[in-house]
Amino acid sequence: MAALTRAFLLYLAVVLQVSCGGAAPSDILYRVPEEQPPNTLIGSLAADRGLPDSGHLYKLEVGSPYLRVDGKTGDIYTTEIPVDRETLRDCRNLFEGDECFLEFEVSITDMVNTLGSGPRLIEGRIEVLDINDNTPQFTSPILTLSIPENTHVGALFSIPMATDKDSGANAVAEYSLTAGPDADRLFGLQVAVDSDEKLPQLVVMGNLDRERKDSYDLNVRVVDGGKPARASSALLRVTVTDQNDNAPKFERSHYEAELPENSPQGHSVLQVRANDADTGTNGEIDYSLHQASEAVQSLLRIDRSTGIIYVKGLVDREEENFLKFFAVAKDRGPNSKSSKVLVTINVRDQNDNAPNIEIRGIGLATHQDGVANISEDMPTGTPVALVQVSDRDEGENAVVTCVVAGDVPFQLRPASESTNDRKRKYFLQTTTPLDYERVKEYRIEIVAVDSGNPALSSSNSLKVQVTDMNDNTPVFSPAVLKVDFAEGNQPGDKVLDVMATDADSGTNAELAYSIVEPAATRLFEIGADTGEIRVKNLLDREETERYEFRVAAADKGVPSKTGTATVVVNVLDRNDNDPKFMLSGYSFSVIENMAPLNPVGVVTVTDADKGENARVRLIVEPDNGKFMIQNGTGTILSSISFDREKESTYTFRLKAVDAGDPPRFSYVGVTINVLDENDNAPYVTKPANSSYTYMSPVTPLDTSVEVVEAEDIDSGPNAELVYTITGGNPYDLFHISPNSGEITLVQVFTGKHNGLHRLVVRVSDKGKPPRHTTALVHVFVNDTRSNVSLIEALVGHSLYTPLDRDIAGDPNYALAQRSNILYGSLAGIAGVILVIVAVVVIRHRLQKDTKSGYQAGKKESKDLYAPKQGPKNGKGKKSKKGKAPKPAKPLEEDVEAGLQKGLKFNLINEDVTDSPRIHLPLNYPPGSPDLGRHYRSNSPLPSIQLQPQSPSASKKHQAVQDLPATNTFVGTGDNNSTGSDQYSDYSYKANPPKYSSKQPPHRRVTFSTANQAQDLQDASQHSYYDSGLEESETPSSKSSSGPRIGPLALPEDHYERTTPDGSIGEMEHPENGGASSSTEPERRAGQKRQN
């Protein structure tokens, strides 16, 4: 039987079940009987939960001293200390059927990729199953029971119950009664069941006579249900007393109460009441506690007379949260009777416990005496501690908020998904990389505050020491060590001491010195520990004047790091020779724009003499003031700032003169090469910003559109240019080669692409920092291009449109497509109405002419199609009744009908011998896709009238915007700034010449006429504007408000005239009526206009 029991218990020990009941989702639940022998396997985390079984370290964080974990497999075993269900703190006051759990925590650390992630925390519970390891016991080995004489047969008297610390089937199972020969026929035993409790009762089976015998000794035996069963006995002494008929009876069958913890002594909890039907002393009742545990007896007392239960000791819910006992009411009769009632008291929580903060090591992070060590090379997010925050209170009083105080590179991260508010676990992990050389240790304070009212808080601190890693290289200061050492030395003489420092500590900062070059070790030696350099042989300056070698300092870290320094030993000698330069010629390189008085180079001159004869003075020849030399150091200093573009090479001689008598001297040539610096921005040579390229809508892909050409007067990478399109290409139609600047077509044109495209091309050099300029490339896409003036007008408006606005085809194409059907329908209806109106008007006039008569030969003197002369102030006169004059109806369609429809221009054929005039309309029909209005609205200048260029264009003046033939916008890096006048004229030259300050400034003036008919009739109608730019001024220095209109501020001989073709020439003021001194074609054009 014992063998079967043992096998059954071992079987239960290895049973693994998924969590049940109230377990959290992340809990792992095992079941094991209590009192198992040491090294009993409870479960395997790796095998049972699919966790890794190799390359990982398992460590038990919570669960000792009852459990241990195999570090490699994660197997959980019992220890030498047995698990006793009855002594576990959380299982002491369990009711029948309640489960007993033992909690554990195991951390898993990846030992292969320790730097990749922190440890993982596994939480679990073990249900401790009860075994029959406790014997049922009576409250006393001798039990007393009083029974009155003449008690009728069959009467029942309660016997004190026995208790068993085991539960379930291992609890009390049965009672038995053994009586002597004299009592065998008088007493029997009956067991009643009340609330799963077995109540033993003595049954009177015969007549009792106190006068014949007043007491009987019986043996009561109790047996539990375990296998094997456990039993105990007690002596039941029955005393026969005088008759007492009635037993006290409680008013309730069960008393319940709630007791606040920390209640003061004397606080009344509840009152139990019992009534007795007897009279006299038989009806007087005394109250007492029955089957009360030690905790109940220490905390509570009952008033014998009133039945009021008072607080006797300190009530602490965290120690006892539930009290269960019986209250007994016993009368005072000679044959007293009694009854009992169950009393349960719940201890209500008060927020009397501050949160408890427990800090312990986790995984590989070990703690000792409140100090955690972490290596400085650990990655961000590495846990250094496991912080467990708990509160012994319950409810809201146990909800705790935990934070890290102060500005430290650490934070708390939940370590598990457990929903237990009373006990939360966090990883204390790093938030930034640690640096031992910057901060060697941290004092981390963790503060926890509960949610009680008032709230209680607590804090705990952890000292984190950052352990040093060999992450710093030894450093010499200075990196170049120079020393003068006289010849004629003795072997072993000290030359100098070198010293390096290492920011690490410990062995990582212990240094060993050595000489790097093997050749130098033949002459010099260095102390490995001291860094003291000594000479091994006799030095001869006539053989070697200067020794240069490297010394190394290696630390003793793993792996070792090494730093080096250069040692220069200048050997001193006698002066018995002419001064001699070390080199036959010197060549130095300097960066242009270097400030004056900076070192350019160093020359070394030697002299074999000694004393005064060895004192050498250096002289620059010829001394033109550009360079000077420091005697003693041989350092050449510049007195000027270099500009490579002006002069790239300087050549002069150095003369070395000693102080002998007569002096000796020697010469050496010095060449200074000026290295280029990126101090010049590229400038665009082609195309001009005001030019454009025509392309047909059916142009095939990969067709070359234009080639942007630019130059940079710098050299090397500073002159290597890169071309990019930064604006005006929203449809990705064009691509520019970053190296050649060639723009090609890469997307097929569609209807919305018709019109002008302005590509903003950025030309940058490869200097550091880079400089750039911006060029505009205009591409006009249309079926034809005969209307050149229209295209130039669009280009002109484009030049005044901000660069951040894309000009790419017809902006109202989509709206125009949707409006075509509507406009067609409206046009048809309007046509019908116009025909009807025309018929009515003709009939009316015919009738009127019939009445008034027709005047033959009379001609209209008014040209219906000639433009009206505007007033001098530029404002048009209003027609009568405030109505605007009705525009003339076009007589015929131009060949460029497609373009005119797209731009909604009105084409007027004024005369057969005159070219058409194109007006940029001021009024547009609703939804009209008018590109002209779009470009004009984006221009900072008012709208202007443009005359188309045609074979007869020489008969007219044109209103010419003063736009640059080539626009170059210069910026440096990304800090370039272009104002609203960024399109002003920079002239045709990349670097415009500056005028002498003695000459009066010249200004550029553009002349135009308001009406060609008045060009020669009224000189007062001529208009002109001053571009506002002097030849010495740049566009960025002027306002963007446009040209100044009005009288010229300077005499006219100081102004230049810009003609429509962009040329510049002298012209007399129109009021003087003088002939123009411009080109011959202009004079012929002027004669034609006069004719």
Side-chain angles (χ1 to χ4, degrees):
M1 187 66 178
L4 292 175
T5 303
R6 179 65 177 173
F8 174 73
L9 294 177
L10 290 176
Y11 169 75
L12 289 177
V14 296
V15 173
L16 172 65
Q17 296 289 342
V18 182
S19 63
C20 62
S26 61
D27 288 351
I28 297 177
L29 180 63
Y30 293 98
R31 291 189 176 92
V32 63
E34 63 175 333
E35 301 289 350
Q36 292 303 300
N39 299 321
T40 299
L41 177 64
I42 298 177
S44 175
L45 294 176
D48 300 335
R49 303 300 295 176
L51 298 174
D53 57 357
S54 63
H56 289 73
L57 173 65
Y58 291 85
K59 181 183 177 184
L60 182 68
E61 304 291 347
V62 174
S64 61
Y66 303 106
L67 305 174
R68 70 176 181 85
V69 173
D70 187 288
K72 296 181 179 179
T73 63
D75 295 342
I76 303 176
Y77 296 93
T78 60
T79 64
E80 298 294 335
I81 301 177
V83 179
D84 187 359
R85 186 178 188 273
E86 288 72 37
T87 59
L88 291 178
R89 182 180 180 279
D90 295 336
C91 302
R92 294 175 184 173
N93 296 319
L94 297 178
F95 287 99
E96 186 71 25
D98 289 348
E99 298 171 334
C100 174
F101 294 101
L102 174 62
E103 296 182 350
F104 69 89
E105 295 176 9
V106 176
S107 64
I108 306 176
T109 303
D110 190 347
M111 301 303 294
V112 179
N113 299 317
T114 55
L115 299 180
S117 61
R120 176 183 175 188
L121 189 65
I122 302 296
E123 294 180 322
R125 300 191 300 171
I126 299 174
E127 182 182 354
V128 181
L129 304 177
D130 184 48
I131 64 172
N132 192 24
D133 58 342
N134 291 280
T135 302
Q137 299 286 340
F138 288 98
T139 57
S140 175
I142 300 176
L143 306 176
T144 60
L145 185 63
S146 298
I147 300 177
E149 63 179 342
N150 300 326
T151 299
H152 62 274
V153 176
L156 300 176
F157 294 89
S158 297
I159 300 175
M161 294 187 302
T163 58
D164 196 327
K165 293 182 179 180
D166 297 324
S167 62
N170 298 322
V172 175
E174 61 182 25
Y175 293 89
S176 63
L177 181 67
T178 304
D182 57 345
D184 186 37
R185 295 183 180 181
L186 295 177
F187 301 102
L189 183 66
Q190 175 181 312
V191 180
V193 179
D194 181 18
S195 300
D196 296 331
E197 288 185 330
K198 292 180 172 58
L199 306 177
Q201 296 175 330
L202 185 66
V203 181
V204 178
M205 300 175 61
N207 295 323
L208 301 177
D209 188 355
R210 181 178 178 277
E211 286 71 20
R212 188 168 59 90
K213 190 172 184 178
D214 60 355
S215 66
Y216 298 89
D217 289 337
L218 309 176
N219 185 38
V220 180
R221 187 172 186 268
V222 60
V223 182
D224 61 22
K227 295 181 180 180
R230 291 176 176 266
S232 67
S233 300
L235 176 65
L236 176 61
R237 179 163 292 171
V238 179
T239 303
V240 181
T241 63
D242 287 336
Q243 186 175 3
N244 187 9
D245 297 332
N246 297 287
K249 184 178 182 180
F250 283 96
E251 296 178 353
R252 300 180 188 176
S253 60
H254 181 205
Y255 285 89
E256 292 180 299
E258 189 177 76
L259 174 63
E261 69 170 326
N262 301 322
S263 296
Q265 294 184 7
H267 173 74
S268 62
V269 182
L270 79 160
Q271 183 179 18
V272 296
R273 291 183 178 180
N275 300 314
D276 195 320
D278 294 326
T279 61
T281 57
N282 294 331
E284 296 177 1
I285 300 174
D286 288 333
Y287 297 95
S288 63
L289 301 180
H290 178 63
Q291 290 186 343
S293 63
E294 294 181 0
V296 174
Q297 294 178 12
S298 63
L299 295 177
L300 303 175
R301 68 178 179 84
I302 189 170
D303 189 281
R304 291 176 57 85
S305 302
T306 62
I308 299 177
I309 299 176
Y310 294 97
V311 174
K312 177 182 177 182
L314 178 61
V315 180
D316 188 354
R317 188 203 64 82
E318 289 71 38
E319 295 294 335
E320 299 291 340
N321 59 357
F322 182 78
L323 302 176
K324 176 185 175 183
F325 57 91
F326 287 92
V328 175
K330 184 178 181 181
D331 62 27
R332 299 178 182 177
N335 300 315
S336 62
K337 291 183 177 291
S338 65
S339 62
K340 65 179 180 179
V341 66
L342 178 64
V343 180
T344 56
I345 298 176
N346 289 310
V347 181
R348 188 175 71 246
D349 182 55
Q350 298 289 328
N351 191 26
D352 59 342
N353 290 279
N356 179 52
I357 303 174
E358 180 184 355
I359 303 176
R360 61 177 185 265
I362 179 70
L364 299 178
T366 59
H367 290 200
Q368 185 176 2
D369 298 331
V371 178
N373 296 312
I374 181 173
S375 176
E376 65 175 329
D377 63 345
M378 298 302 289
T380 300
T382 299
V384 298
L386 179 65
V387 179
Q388 177 175 300
V389 182
S390 60
D391 196 314
R392 299 183 65 189
D393 297 320
E394 65 179 1
E396 288 296 322
N397 298 330
V399 179
V400 179
T401 301
C402 188
V403 297
V404 175
D407 184 14
V408 292
F410 295 89
Q411 67 179 4
L412 295 175
R413 176 176 64 85
S416 66
E417 299 177 358
S418 175
T419 57
N420 185 5
D421 290 335
R422 295 183 55 200
K423 184 183 293 184
R424 292 183 177 270
K425 299 179 180 64
Y426 303 90
F427 285 130
L428 178 63
Q429 64 183 23
T430 60
T431 58
T432 60
L434 303 180
D435 188 357
Y436 171 85
E437 289 70 37
R438 189 171 61 89
V439 180
K440 293 180 174 56
E441 65 179 28
Y442 297 90
R443 173 65 66 175
I444 303 172
E445 183 177 4
I446 301 174
V447 179
V449 182
D450 63 24
S451 302
N453 187 15
L456 299 178
S457 64
S458 62
S459 63
N460 198 354
S461 62
L462 174 68
K463 181 179 179 181
V464 177
Q465 290 183 344
V466 183
T467 58
D468 182 44
M469 296 298 294
N470 193 24
D471 57 347
N472 289 279
T473 301
V475 177
F476 288 92
S477 181
V480 178
L481 305 170
K482 295 183 179 181
V483 62
D484 293 332
F485 189 74
E487 68 169 347
N489 61 285
Q490 295 297 324
D493 286 351
K494 179 179 175 180
V495 180
L496 80 159
D497 291 319
V498 295
M499 184 180 67
T501 58
D502 195 317
D504 295 321
S505 63
T507 57
N508 297 329
E510 295 180 6
L511 304 179
Y513 298 93
S514 61
I515 296 177
V516 177
E517 288 83 358
T521 58
R522 294 194 296 267
L523 294 175
F524 300 95
E525 62 183 359
I526 187 171
D529 299 325
T530 62
E532 184 180 71
I533 300 177
R534 294 183 177 273
V535 63
K536 297 168 64 176
N537 299 318
L538 183 65
L539 300 183
D540 187 355
R541 184 178 179 276
E542 280 70 28
E543 293 182 2
T544 305
E545 179 186 4
R546 181 174 180 270
Y547 294 93
E548 181 176 336
F549 55 91
R550 290 182 301 156
V551 294
D555 59 31
K556 297 182 181 180
V558 178
S560 176
K561 291 183 177 292
T562 303
T564 60
T566 301
V567 176
V568 178
V569 179
N570 294 318
V571 182
L572 304 179
D573 201 356
R574 293 177 300 175
N575 186 17
D576 56 356
N577 291 296
D578 293 337
K580 182 179 180 182
F581 290 94
M582 287 291 295
L583 301 176
S584 59
Y586 287 90
S587 178
F588 301 105
S589 297
V590 296
I591 299 177
E592 65 174 327
N593 300 321
M594 185 177 69
L597 299 180
N598 271 304
V600 174
V602 177
V603 298
T604 302
V605 62
T606 62
D607 197 310
D609 297 330
K610 66 178 180 179
E612 287 296 318
N613 295 330
R615 185 164 53 88
V616 179
R617 182 167 54 92
L618 298 174
I619 304 171
V620 177
E621 291 185 356
D623 187 3
N624 53 12
K626 294 182 179 180
F627 297 95
M628 63 181 68
I629 188 165
Q630 293 180 342
N631 281 292
T633 64
T635 303
I636 303 173
L637 303 177
S638 66
S639 301
I640 60 174
S641 179
F642 300 103
D643 187 350
R644 189 197 63 85
E645 286 72 31
K646 293 183 178 179
E647 190 169 357
S648 61
T649 303
Y650 297 85
T651 303
F652 55 90
R653 290 193 312 170
L654 287 179
K655 181 180 180 181
V657 182
D658 61 23
D661 187 18
R664 293 178 177 271
F665 57 88
S666 61
Y667 292 92
V668 70
V670 178
T671 301
I672 308 296
N673 296 312
V674 182
L675 302 180
D676 183 47
E677 188 180 51
N678 193 23
D679 55 349
N680 293 280
Y683 60 92
V684 178
T685 60
K686 177 189 175 184
N689 287 338
S690 58
S691 65
Y692 67 90
T693 300
Y694 165 75
M695 296 190 74
S696 172
V698 295
T699 301
L701 298 178
D702 297 329
T703 299
S704 177
V705 179
E706 181 61 273
V707 177
V708 179
E709 298 179 0
E711 297 179 0
D712 195 317
I713 62 176
D714 292 322
S715 64
N718 298 332
E720 296 179 9
L721 304 182
V722 177
Y723 301 84
T724 55
I725 297 177
T726 61
N729 194 21
Y731 306 111
D732 295 329
L733 297 175
F734 306 96
H735 169 75
I736 189 169
S737 172
N739 297 324
S740 65
E742 182 180 10
I743 301 175
T744 56
L745 180 66
V746 295
Q747 298 286 346
V748 178
F749 290 130
T750 61
K752 65 180 178 182
H753 300 147
N754 285 353
L756 183 66
H757 296 256
R758 182 188 67 181
L759 302 180
V760 181
V761 177
R762 179 171 177 156
V763 184
S764 304
D765 58 29
K766 296 183 179 179
K768 292 184 179 180
R771 292 179 176 266
H772 69 272
T773 187
T774 303
L776 303 181
V777 177
H778 294 89
V779 180
F780 187 76
V781 180
N782 196 41
D783 293 329
T784 61
R785 57 171 177 177
S786 60
N787 199 336
V788 178
S789 297
L790 172 62
I791 303 174
E792 291 180 347
L794 297 178
V795 172
H797 282 285
S798 155
L799 297 178
Y800 290 93
T801 302
L803 295 182
D804 57 354
R805 300 182 184 177
D806 287 337
I807 300 178
D810 187 354
N812 299 316
Y813 174 78
L815 179 63
Q817 294 296 322
R818 294 193 295 268
S819 303
N820 285 341
I821 298 176
L822 176 63
Y823 290 159
S825 301
L826 294 177
I829 297 173
V832 173
I833 295 175
L834 289 175
V835 171
I836 297 174
V837 172
V839 171
V840 173
V841 171
I842 293 173
R843 292 187 61 185
H844 176 72
R845 289 196 174 185
L846 290 176
Q847 294 176 1
K848 184 176 180 180
D849 291 341
T850 303
K851 294 179 181 181
S852 61
Y854 176 76
Q855 299 179 7
K858 185 177 181 180
K859 299 175 64 178
E860 294 290 336
S861 61
K862 184 179 181 180
D863 187 0
L864 298 177
Y865 302 102
K868 294 183 178 181
Q869 172 65 37
K872 295 181 180 180
N873 58 4
K875 299 182 180 179
K877 296 180 179 180
K878 296 184 179 179
S879 61
K880 295 180 179 181
K881 299 181 181 181
K883 296 183 180 180
K886 185 181 299 183
K889 181 178 181 181
L891 299 180
E892 60 182 352
E893 296 292 337
D894 193 82
V895 179
E896 305 296 327
L899 176 62
Q900 297 300 334
K901 290 180 179 179
L903 300 180
K904 295 298 181 182
F905 288 132
N906 294 324
L907 181 62
I908 303 177
N909 188 1
E910 296 182 356
D911 194 277
V912 177
T913 61
D914 196 5
S915 61
R917 177 182 293 114
I918 295 177
H919 298 272
L920 297 178
L922 298 177
N923 299 316
Y924 305 89
S928 173
D930 185 7
L931 295 180
R933 179 173 59 178
H934 168 74
Y935 295 135
R936 184 173 63 255
S937 65
N938 293 331
S939 173
L941 297 180
S943 303
I944 60 174
Q945 288 188 350
L946 301 174
Q947 301 297 334
Q949 292 184 354
S950 62
S952 60
S954 59
K955 297 180 180 181
K956 304 180 179 67
H957 283 295
Q958 292 179 327
V960 180
Q961 294 178 332
D962 190 9
L963 300 178
T966 53
N967 245 341
T968 301
F969 310 96
V970 179
T972 302
D974 293 330
N975 298 324
N976 59 313
S977 175
T978 56
S980 59
D981 57 351
Q982 55 185 314
Y983 302 112
S984 301
D985 188 12
Y986 272 73
S987 85
Y988 289 93
K989 297 182 180 179
N991 295 314
K994 299 181 180 178
Y995 289 93
S996 172
S997 59
K998 298 180 180 181
Q999 297 179 357
H1002 282 72
R1003 291 186 176 271
R1004 177 170 298 167
V1005 181
T1006 299
F1007 297 89
S1008 64
T1009 57
N1011 189 296
Q1012 66 174 9
Q1014 297 180 359
D1015 188 15
L1016 300 177
Q1017 296 175 5
D1018 188 0
S1020 64
Q1021 298 299 320
H1022 287 279
S1023 63
Y1024 52 88
Y1025 69 87
D1026 184 356
S1027 65
L1029 296 180
E1030 299 179 3
E1031 289 297 337
S1032 61
E1033 295 175 326
T1034 61
S1036 60
S1037 64
K1038 292 297 181 179
S1039 171
S1040 62
S1041 59
R1044 297 192 292 270
I1045 307 298
L1048 303 180
L1050 297 175
E1052 296 178 9
D1053 55 348
H1054 298 300
Y1055 288 81
E1056 294 178 348
R1057 177 182 182 277
T1058 58
T1059 59
D1061 59 356
S1063 61
I1064 301 176
E1066 297 294 334
M1067 180 177 180
E1068 294 185 6
H1069 198 279
E1071 294 179 358
N1072 299 331
S1076 172
S1077 62
S1078 60
T1079 60
E1080 185 64 25
E1082 287 188 345
R1083 288 197 296 270
R1084 290 198 297 268
Q1087 293 174 2
K1088 291 182 179 180
R1089 287 195 297 268
Q1090 292 177 1
N1091 295 333

